[in-house]
Amino acid sequence: MFRCTAQTGTSQTTDNEEGVRAVKALTIVICSYNYERFLREAIDSALAQEPQLTQVIVIDDGSTDGSHAIIASYGDRIIPVLKANGGQASSYNLGLEMVDTEYILYLDSDDVLYDGAIAQVVEAFEHGNYGKVQFTLSVIDGQSRPTGARVPHSQPPAECGALLRNGWLYPSPPASGNAYRVSALRRILPLPQATRRGIAADFFAIYGVVLVGKVGVIDRPLGGYRVHGAADQPGAKPTAHASLSIANSQDVAEVVRAFPQRWQALRELVNERLGEQLPEQAMDFSYEKAHLCMQVYEAQWSRRWHWIVFGSRRYFRSILSNPFWTLRKKFSAIALTLLCLLPLRSVSDHAIRYIANPLARGTQDHRS
């Protein structure tokens, strides 16, 4: 199934300054597929972490670009794995199977870690009985320029498993901002290889793990989350609706289509692994704002009013009942939404773009 070019069956150790052999604490697993243009930056950021704490595995999921040559150039500084294409779930499963450290972090190959990130993550684990430690990510663009935005925009309580059991998805950074206690994650993974579950494997790790452990939060940027797409490539022209994208290559229609499938698959997985029954429907602002965008963006004034009056109950519930938001944030979100009712479509559409993709606010300003 895969070709591993370094031995992985023994515990990884290193000499510290006093000559004592110390077992490494955390494995960074870089999962990559055809990200040649970003891969070296991701690997360099992982290798820049404290070597006495960290080992680096790079899993290439059947890339057809120049990724293999980049991986080979690092020699024995990393543990390289070249495998046939099997999707993100297969890479997550394989990475978890290979690690012999207490903690694991899956770094997307288009993202980066900042210096000292792993030391702070390990310290957080050692001072709390956490199943997961998450940290804020700065949003960067395709050329590694900071946009000024950060994710997530709010932070969850340590005990957010109870809220998930009631259907509320808690605020989490994307995949690269999450580190897991291996023993906790192995209660959720490996993921079945069915196609439906093979998409967005990080969704199952991020939300499933809170049912078996608390969440530790580091509320400062320890890495960069890259927002990019076809428009970032040389000579590419931006598409008319690119600013509505929720994340990389994920427009609002994809969110509306994929989220219910992911939630149902998570329910099945949790029932199989933990014997728990999650609610049939989940509540998540990202999903509800995607519905808002599809209904009112570039729509006639009468259609906007009709949806706000008759179709927006769940959308406003995701704001008003949100257990993770402050009153100020709830008020701001409602006020911004009501701008959609103004007759001027230029104002309405600007408000929708602002709601739909806060990650792109700084990027849009930077490019204009």
Side-chain angles (χ1 to χ4, degrees):
M1 175 183 176
F2 67 91
R3 176 167 59 90
C4 179
T5 58
Q7 189 173 0
T8 61
T10 58
S11 178
Q12 301 294 311
T13 63
T14 186
D15 292 316
N16 63 23
E17 294 179 354
E18 299 178 357
V20 178
R21 302 289 284 179
V23 177
K24 296 189 178 184
L26 185 144
T27 299
I28 300 172
V29 177
I30 300 177
C31 301
S32 184
Y33 175 70
N34 282 349
Y35 268 169
E36 173 187 13
R37 66 192 191 277
F38 303 129
L39 179 57
R40 188 174 295 279
E41 191 175 354
I43 295 175
D44 287 346
S45 77
L47 291 174
Q49 305 302 312
E50 288 73 9
Q52 72 275 16
L53 293 175
T54 311
Q55 66 178 353
V56 180
I57 298 174
V58 180
I59 300 177
D60 184 88
D61 190 36
S63 293
T64 57
D65 60 4
S67 296
H68 290 183
I70 292 174
I71 293 170
S73 71
Y74 286 91
D76 61 3
R77 299 175 64 197
I78 63 175
I79 300 172
V81 180
L82 310 179
K83 59 183 286 295
N85 181 258
Q88 188 188 50
S90 68
S91 295
Y92 265 53
N93 290 348
L94 180 56
L96 188 61
E97 177 185 335
M98 292 177 64
V99 299
D100 54 10
T101 53
E102 189 170 0
Y103 313 115
I104 184 173
L105 184 149
Y106 292 98
L107 177 65
D108 286 345
S109 57
D110 54 342
D111 295 340
V112 295
L113 294 173
Y114 296 158
D115 290 351
I118 295 306
Q120 295 182 61
V121 167
V122 171
E123 182 180 9
F125 271 120
E126 292 178 347
H127 286 82
N129 185 27
Y130 299 124
K132 188 191 95 162
V133 170
Q134 69 177 49
F135 50 87
T136 302
L137 295 172
S138 299
V139 179
I140 59 177
D141 68 10
Q143 287 73 46
S144 302
R145 298 173 299 198
T147 68
R150 297 179 177 183
V151 286
H153 308 290
S154 54
Q155 301 295 348
E159 299 283 0
C160 56
L163 290 166
L164 186 70
R165 290 180 175 95
N166 288 324
W168 281 97
L169 270 67
Y170 70 96
S172 172
S176 300
N178 301 276
Y180 305 92
R181 189 180 298 274
V182 169
S183 60
L185 191 58
R186 282 179 173 157
R187 295 187 61 187
I188 303 298
L189 305 188
L191 292 168
Q193 292 298 300
T195 301
R196 184 161 61 103
R197 288 173 173 169
I199 300 174
D202 54 314
F203 180 89
F204 302 96
I206 287 170
Y207 295 108
V209 78
V210 302
L211 300 175
V212 298
K214 296 188 297 182
V215 175
V217 173
I218 302 176
D219 192 10
R220 55 183 174 274
L222 298 185
Y225 171 59
R226 194 184 306 273
V227 173
H228 61 90
D232 290 310
Q233 310 222 14
K237 296 181 180 180
T239 59
H241 299 276
S243 57
L244 281 184
S245 296
I246 303 298
N248 295 326
S249 304
Q250 188 177 35
D251 61 23
V252 292
E254 182 182 349
V255 173
V256 170
R257 175 191 60 78
F259 179 77
Q261 297 176 2
R262 293 176 183 175
W263 177 252
Q264 290 305 316
L266 179 65
R267 293 180 69 237
E268 294 171 13
L269 187 70
V270 167
N271 184 257
E272 292 169 5
R273 300 288 164 81
L274 305 178
E276 294 194 40
Q277 188 67 48
L278 295 176
E280 290 189 8
Q281 291 186 320
M283 184 61 66
D284 179 53
F285 178 70
S286 293
Y287 175 53
E288 299 304 330
K289 74 180 180 184
H291 274 289
L292 168 77
C293 295
M294 291 193 68
Q295 295 297 324
V296 305
Y297 188 63
E298 297 185 334
Q300 295 295 325
W301 182 65
S302 58
R303 179 178 172 181
R304 285 181 265 146
W305 266 95
H306 185 273
W307 189 83
I308 291 292
V309 172
F310 298 105
S312 61
R313 181 179 63 84
R314 282 182 57 87
Y315 172 80
F316 282 107
R317 182 190 168 201
S318 74
I319 296 174
L320 293 171
S321 300
N322 197 305
F324 310 108
W325 286 13
T326 63
L327 286 175
R328 179 179 179 180
K329 184 169 183 177
K330 293 177 181 181
F331 176 81
S332 298
I334 291 174
L336 194 60
T337 302
L338 294 179
L339 289 177
C340 301
L341 299 178
L342 294 178
L344 290 175
R345 204 167 77 179
S346 60
V347 175
S348 169
D349 289 346
H350 181 77
I352 294 301
R353 289 193 296 269
Y354 199 88
I355 293 170
N357 193 6
L359 302 181
R361 294 171 190 167
T363 304
Q364 291 167 351
D365 293 340
H366 183 82
R367 289 176 177 171
S368 61

